[in-house]
Amino acid sequence: MPKNIALLTAFLLIAILISAAGTLQAGDMHIYINGQDYFDKFDTELIDGCLMVKARSLADILGAEINWFKAIKTIHLKKDDTKLKMMADNPYIQVNDKTYKTEHQPTMLKGSSYLPLKEVIEHLGYLYQENGKDIYINKPSSYVKGISWQKSGQQLLLELDKISPYRINKTDDPKKIVLELDQTALSPDFKDDLSNKNFYLKIEKVANRARLRLSIISKYPIPFQRDMGIDEDGNNLLINFLPSITAIDWKNNRLKITANGDIRRPEILLLQNPKRMVLDIPGLMLNNFDLNIEKNDWIEDVRVSQFKYDPVTLRVVLDLVEDKQMELVQDNSSNTLILKPADLSEVRELKFENSILSFITDQSTNPDLFFLEEPDRLVINLINTVRGDNFPDKIDVKGELITAVRTAKFNEETVRIVADMTRESAYKLEQKQLSNGKFKHIIKFENGFNKLVLTDSTTKTDISFDFLRQANYEVKRLSYPDRLVVDIQGIGGISQEELPEPLGLIEGIRIGQLSSEPQVSRVTFDLTDYHGHKVISMSPDSSINITLIKGAAEPVTGKNVIVIDAGHGGFDPGAIGPSGLKEKDVTLSIALKVQGLLESEGYDIVLTREQDNFISLKERVDIANEIKARLFVSIHANASNSRYADGTETYIAPDKPAENKLLARVLQRELSNSLKRKNRGILKDNFYVIKYTEMPSALVEVAFISNPHEESLLSSDFFLEKAARAISKGIKSYLDNVRQGDEGVDE
Ligand code: ZN
């Protein structure tokens, strides 16, 4: 039986640290106001250990209005919107319309009035901090009103008056990340709700500045991607963490793995000696979790580890009782995985006909398919499965794509089917239950037609095709009558029934075979009217997107400006490489080079920042949206907990028009071709700047600054120049490809 994992009690601690004040002595003191030493300009007196300053000198230094009413020994001090009223030898201070009791009272000395510095300065809204003989007075520009956990502890919300310069980064300790807020103080009515069973939070005031430092500490290393980890929401900041495992339970013959967020489908491996089932769950973080496994006949032990950081993968190993099997239940909810005891399935009737591989299992087995190279082959693993009677070792195939189908017993409960192929190719698995209760599995190798969708709006009609994999295609305009034809290579067997109803500018859709060697299908769209079209994809592609424009031209959408966004800046260095290279310098250098290259060819470029200054994510987006930019490209360098993580990737926001994907494709293609780093492909994520920009936008992660080799590349001007050329080329290629108007060829 598994040992019970001791659960940590919830961390419920907030520590606010500030250096204790020593006994103040006049002499070599310093009084810094916003960083400048004003000690010599103050008339000070120490009375009962309290530093008193002459009211007049304080007013002069702060630029405050001062009035002295001698008869009633009353001082009025006014700075900005704050008005203080104090009386000599009276312990009450009136701040606007509220009255407070003071510890030290104003006093008359040598005919002048003296005020307690700390109390007066704090009532005027300044931050007062002492460190030995140094006094620091700063005016914060923002206050933290509250800090609280959201989304079951996956997200930390900081409520602020306004966004002030912030930065977040990893530390030398992988279990700790630090968020710093500059020109910021805790609000007097600061409330915290920091209870979270996984993270311990510590807030420190930085002694000599209006700056807060929030340390986030976990019992386990924190997988944290800087660019995804922090987000703005109005005046608030959000820190996002990956979901983490919260419980593993065995109850009613079901093993349930629960997380505080979405669990993606794991990769499953069955291993022998000892018999165990390995579940590799992507994007899940290790943290404190409950383990409740009652004694049972299937599972002897459960082990959990953070198996990888690139990509983040949680590994759950189930030590199984000999001759017992488990299988994944299909109808899992979004934050649980459920496994149940499985019967051994038998596989029979392996066939390969008309480019279709099929077999039948008597249980609802879920084949695990993956492609291997050199030699190219598709591997199909059937776990918890044995070979049925007359199951062949090999099927002879004389295909152009598939050359042989072989089978083998991979281990006691895994049957492996291998399709030898002449090249990498997409495949599609379909499963259906037969009337006799058995399950038929069909694997199609031909490129096929997934769907064709038409959408119509007041300004345009959109056509979007989806295939199983990339296809070469051509879009042509034909006249008399107006038609648009799409000739697609290597796609067969689309039936008229799979085509949608005509819509908008399209009054008819037809399909036919244009040629058989090579195989080319033609889809013809009969048009009611033609005013121009745009193809928002590039051959070859696994999807085709075409926009038919209504009316003479699209409404003017503003200037033809391209916005280049250099990530981070100023107070926020972005990620920092192992030898100290800062992401903000790399991104600015590339952005300036892109600007130079494109401006020299006549393009209008606007940079969100041209120097080393902090700007918020919202300001970046506002710049692009306000000028109605044509394109927005954000430049970043990547970081990972794993120093081995490397390569180039490009992000787009999910659920945005096809233009975004095309932009990402050309950028990723040019960057990979030119930099020759690992091609990590195009990913979808809701980074703030690509989510809220209203024009086609993409975010490039040029290389990993956290990888020592790539950091050294990123520190070379030659490499940055190459990156800038690639980004410029990608932008030009995008603009050429979606240029508007009649691009067709009349036949
Ligand atoms: Zn970044």
Side-chain angles (χ1 to χ4, degrees), residues 225-228 567-568 572-575 583-584 587 634-639 687 699-701:
Q225 212 273 20
R226 165 65 184 78
D227 293 325
M228 260 180 259
H568 314 282
D572 171 18
E583 183 186 352
K584 65 173 182 178
T587 60
S634 185
I635 299 170
H636 286 257
N638 222 330
F687 289 107
L699 184 149
V700 297
E701 298 276 4

Side-chain angles (χ1 to χ4, degrees), residues 541-599:
D541 202 343
S542 55
S543 60
I544 307 175
N545 292 283
I546 305 162
T547 293
L548 286 159
I549 299 150
K550 290 183 180 174
E554 278 193 320
V556 177
T557 54
K559 286 190 278 177
N560 236 351
V561 176
I562 297 157
V563 174
I564 305 292
D565 176 45
H568 314 282
F571 184 70
D572 171 18
I576 299 173
S579 65
L581 184 66
K582 294 184 176 114
E583 183 186 352
K584 65 173 182 178
D585 297 328
V586 169
T587 60
L588 181 60
S589 173
I590 297 174
L592 289 167
K593 288 177 195 293
V594 171
Q595 179 186 35
L597 287 165
L598 289 177
E599 279 182 352

